[in-house]
Amino acid sequence: MKMVYPKTGSVIVRDGRELTYTHIQANQTPSRSVCFFFPGASYSFDRPYLYYSTMLFLSKQIDLVHVHAAYGKDVPDFETSSFAKRSAWISEDMKTVVSQVLDQQEYERVFFLGKSLGTVPITCSLLKEPRFSRSSAILLTPLLRENLVVADLLALEQNVFLVSGTADPHYHQPTIERIITSKPNIHRYLPQNAKHSLDIGLQVDLSLQVLQSIMDELGCFLDKSLDI
């Protein structure tokens, strides 16, 4: 059975809060690549898309950093703040984690994966930094109705894999059409009738088919990204 090698860490962020993370090595020795995982507000690492993404990255010998953040629970005034303030807040916290990990260990290639709210620091902050100009990103159910997110997303030049179900309240067809016509670097997978959870109603078979299809597409995206 393949072994993985996790270790915990933490950083002090805004207002003196401690933000913890788990740094998982695919092997005893560090990989050449790492992916930072940013969860959604209520989507933890044991939920299907983060759980199986974790398995997929590790199977491709990519180290991981799971950042443990639950802003609705940890930060009482987070939900009542403007979206711009929340975006700046979470982006600053995630950058602090990323910087600490990369200061401690050097990687040749950096990936970012976010779910829902966790996609915000990727599009609105991290991929704007010159040091991540060659990074790749996976955006699971991004907030496509937020103007701030859309503007930054359409400005990205890096390779991006974007997943959004057509029944997701955050799905926005005009934004998707702009991506299709002007952003060949953004690879899209848009499962029909999938919700924000990427499930299709209560239909188990169809929901599992979507999960399998997305993992297949993500695997192809990772292989191509690693070859660049």
Side-chain angles (χ1 to χ4, degrees):
M1 184 176 68
K2 182 177 175 57
M3 298 290 292
V4 296
Y5 302 88
K7 58 183 179 181
T8 59
S10 66
V11 296
I12 301 301
V13 294
R14 181 193 296 259
D15 300 330
R17 290 179 297 112
E18 183 181 36
L19 188 61
T20 63
Y21 60 88
T22 304
H23 190 172
I24 307 169
Q25 287 187 189
N27 297 290
Q28 282 186 300
T29 56
S31 169
R32 297 168 59 189
S33 303
V34 67
C35 183
F36 291 88
F37 276 48
F38 304 138
S42 59
Y43 199 92
S44 57
F45 290 107
D46 58 356
R47 299 287 293 275
Y49 282 89
L50 296 186
Y51 180 84
Y52 286 107
S53 293
T54 293
M55 291 178 62
L56 182 60
F57 273 86
L58 290 174
S59 73
K60 295 183 181 298
Q61 310 302 307
I62 300 172
D63 291 353
L64 304 177
V65 178
H66 285 177
V67 184
H68 305 291
Y71 285 86
K73 300 174 183 176
D74 297 349
V75 187
D77 60 343
F78 185 78
E79 289 297 329
T80 59
S81 300
S82 67
F83 183 78
K85 183 175 180 180
R86 284 183 285 157
S87 174
W89 195 331
I90 190 173
S91 294
E92 180 181 329
D93 288 356
M94 297 305 107
K95 284 175 66 174
T96 302
V97 174
V98 170
S99 294
Q100 174 163 300
V101 171
L102 296 182
D103 284 346
Q104 294 174 346
Q105 193 162 306
E106 186 175 351
Y107 286 97
E108 295 180 20
R109 184 174 293 277
V110 177
F111 293 85
F112 297 104
L113 182 150
K115 173 72 171 75
S116 189
L117 183 66
T119 65
V120 172
I122 300 172
T123 56
C124 298
S125 178
L126 288 159
L127 292 185
K128 294 181 178 180
E129 296 189 25
R131 62 174 170 163
F132 299 127
S133 62
R134 294 182 61 251
S135 293
S136 299
I138 298 91
L139 307 178
L140 303 178
T141 65
L143 310 182
L144 297 178
R145 293 183 179 273
E146 294 290 347
N147 292 334
L148 183 65
V149 170
V150 173
D152 288 336
L153 179 62
L154 292 173
L156 294 180
E157 299 297 334
Q158 295 95 329
N159 283 329
V160 173
F161 178 53
L162 183 153
V163 178
S164 184
T166 61
D168 185 343
H170 297 284
Y171 180 85
H172 190 232
Q173 184 62 31
T175 297
I176 293 297
E177 290 174 358
R178 292 178 66 185
I179 291 171
I180 291 171
T181 58
S182 64
K183 301 300 295 182
N185 58 305
I186 300 179
H187 310 273
R188 308 158 307 280
Y189 192 74
L190 311 170
Q192 292 295 307
N193 302 316
K195 302 179 296 183
H196 194 58
S197 61
L198 292 170
D199 295 327
I200 298 180
L202 297 177
Q203 301 183 68
V204 175
D205 288 346
L206 291 179
S207 297
L208 290 175
Q209 288 174 27
V210 170
L211 174 61
Q212 180 67 67
S213 296
I214 291 173
M215 290 300 109
D216 289 344
E217 294 284 335
L218 176 55
C220 292
F221 176 80
L222 291 180
D223 289 340
K224 290 177 182 178
S225 298
L226 290 167
D227 286 341
I228 295 175

